[in-house]
Amino acid sequence: MIDLRLLREDPDRVRASQRARGEDVDLVDALLSADERRRSSGVRFDELRAEQKALGKLIPKAAGDEKAELLKKAGQLAADVKAADADRDAAATETQELLLRLGNLIHPDVPVGGEEDFVTLETHGSIRDFAAEGFEPRDHLELGQRLGAIDVERGAKVSGSRFYFLTGVGALLELALVNAAMAQATAAGFTPMLTPALVRPQSMAGTGFLGQASQDVYHLDKDDLYLVGTSEVALAAYHMDEIIDADRLPLRYAGFSPCFRREAGSHGKDTRGIFRVHQFDKVEMFSYVDPEDSQAEHQRLLEWEKQWLTSLELPFRVIDVASGDLGSSAARKYDCEAWIPTQGKYRELTSTSDCTEFQSRRLQIRLRDGKQVRPLATLNGTLCAVPRTIVAILENHQQADGSVRVPEVLRPYLGGREILEPVAK
């Protein structure tokens, strides 16, 4: 959540952020009104309680009619205090509810607009000219089936649409990707983490995933637990309700977990193969930093993502995501999109978001700097979302005979294998 003091001091900035996101601007005025009622009802309660306490000291000293009058007044004050307490609680609840609906303040340099209004910042690698090489590229599903690596038919039989099996070399390729990604993250100073896939509501809400993203979340009603769509949730909540000494920052974690997404808004999109699925594994980077260092940390996370994709020898571009396409917790987000030959376009493989103090305020995570205690900043960055990375590797490194060249960075994790050979025609 944002700082209420900032809202009071500069409501126009908050309105502009909401407008750029395409979100409800009137929410700002509703929140200001609720906050004013919260503060005024709090003052009223404190005044009545002080009067009640003062009166309580006079009653034992009074007698006769005076005491009767004081007791009558005390009865009325008790009712007034109770009413003021209820007003204060109601206003506080309304303020909190409205505050949780408000998105993070977007960074002033974020391009304004919808999904297609991003700005391309960099382009890396060369797109292969398959025509010049004399063959038509196969898509990842055909390649995966020829390699004995992907089985979507049995995935659908067992679990339904958008589920799959990785088999044989496909399973080995996932393990190679995860191990190589973790090796890079560990070398960069991240602590490897295996995180829970089920979290409590406060963890999910605290990271901002029960707002605009709630339609894509799986909820287990019987247990009141949520299946995470990313290990970001568990990694953010790891230090929930804690105060961290400033000299321990930055804290960097690399989490590996299964991820679950309903993909409720993607009917008819990417239905072939394993690009958009309900369950996948991912290595996620997560950082806790001093708020003054969040923008620099954001660039560092982006550099680690670029290092990873470059090591996989994939052509990709970096985009600055537009305001209307940001998640509620992100102040700014960069996506790295790899070229997918059979789609003829770049598609998202990684993303990194600067969430500033938004999540830490919700999760009550603070830093102690001397005598000062204040919210810290959190950031996240995908290092390897496995299925999409497999899609990009198979399609970009395929050969005319249906084999696939293994990027050098993965070969040590595949027993030195340089080529993945078809097992079926």
Side-chain angles (χ1 to χ4, degrees), residues 21-251:
R21 285 180 173 276
E23 299 290 339
D24 183 9
V25 177
D26 292 338
L27 180 61
V28 177
D29 291 317
L31 180 52
L32 283 169
S33 177
D35 179 50
E36 174 57 33
R37 290 196 302 276
R38 179 186 67 85
R39 289 187 293 152
S40 61
S41 62
V43 170
R44 172 68 173 156
F45 174 80
D46 290 341
E47 290 173 345
L48 288 170
R49 280 289 291 145
E51 187 177 351
Q52 189 180 42
K53 289 179 180 178
L55 187 63
K57 294 178 181 179
L58 295 176
I59 291 174
K61 302 176 183 178
D65 291 343
E66 181 186 6
K67 186 168 187 176
E69 185 64 28
L70 290 176
L71 287 169
K72 181 180 178 181
K73 188 175 181 181
Q76 182 59 51
L77 263 177
D80 291 344
V81 167
K82 184 176 181 180
D85 190 25
D87 289 344
R88 181 185 62 172
D89 289 346
T93 298
E94 182 182 2
T95 300
Q96 184 69 7
E97 289 175 350
L98 292 171
L99 190 57
L100 289 173
R101 289 170 51 193
L102 199 65
N104 199 359
L105 291 180
I106 64 169
H107 188 281
D109 293 338
V110 169
V112 175
E115 184 177 356
E116 300 303 320
D117 295 311
F118 61 83
V119 172
T120 300
L121 302 176
E122 308 168 30
T123 303
H124 297 263
S126 300
I127 295 173
R128 282 175 66 183
D129 185 349
F130 286 93
E133 295 182 34
F135 74 99
E136 184 77 17
R138 299 177 173 90
D139 75 6
H140 75 277
L141 182 56
E142 182 180 353
L143 289 163
Q145 290 171 335
R146 285 171 173 259
L147 295 169
I150 301 172
D151 191 335
V152 293
E153 287 80 9
R154 289 186 177 90
K157 178 179 71 174
V158 171
S159 302
S161 63
R162 298 189 191 272
F163 287 92
Y164 61 97
F165 283 87
L166 291 180
T167 57
V169 75
L172 295 177
L173 184 54
E174 158 150 352
L175 296 174
L177 283 165
V178 170
N179 278 288
M182 276 296 191
Q184 179 189 302
T186 304
F190 286 80
T191 300
M193 304 277 279
L194 297 178
T195 63
L198 287 166
V199 298
R200 292 176 171 175
Q202 56 265 46
S203 299
M204 192 68 82
T207 43
F209 284 95
L210 292 186
Q212 65 187 141
S214 60
Q215 65 173 354
D216 283 331
V217 173
Y218 285 100
H219 182 227
L220 280 65
D221 292 319
K222 184 176 180 180
D223 306 284
D224 196 19
L225 293 172
Y226 289 88
L227 284 166
V228 298
T230 167
S231 60
E232 171 194 343
V233 177
L235 292 172
Y238 185 64
H239 288 295
M240 181 168 54
D241 299 322
E242 294 181 20
I243 298 174
I244 300 170
D245 289 331
D247 59 9
R248 293 182 60 199
L249 300 178
L251 289 173

Side-chain angles (χ1 to χ4, degrees), residues 301-373:
L301 289 170
L302 177 59
E303 289 301 317
W304 282 314
E305 291 179 345
K306 288 158 56 179
Q307 175 188 337
W308 171 245
L309 295 179
T310 298
S311 74
L312 295 176
E313 304 168 46
L314 296 173
F316 68 95
R317 70 181 180 185
V318 179
I319 67 169
D320 198 350
V321 175
S323 56
D325 201 28
L326 293 175
S328 64
S329 60
R332 193 173 196 178
K333 182 170 79 161
Y334 301 122
D335 283 355
C336 291
E337 300 181 327
W339 179 257
I340 307 299
T342 62
Q343 296 186 21
K345 56 185 176 182
Y346 290 97
R347 301 299 303 272
E348 177 195 338
L349 246 62
T350 74
S351 67
T352 176
S353 297
D354 181 359
C355 297
T356 60
E357 301 168 20
F358 188 82
Q359 293 176 331
S360 68
R361 288 183 182 278
R362 288 172 169 237
L363 294 167
Q364 292 294 305
I365 309 169
R366 294 163 291 169
L367 69 88
R368 180 186 286 109
D369 189 1
K371 294 183 178 180
Q372 185 182 25
V373 176

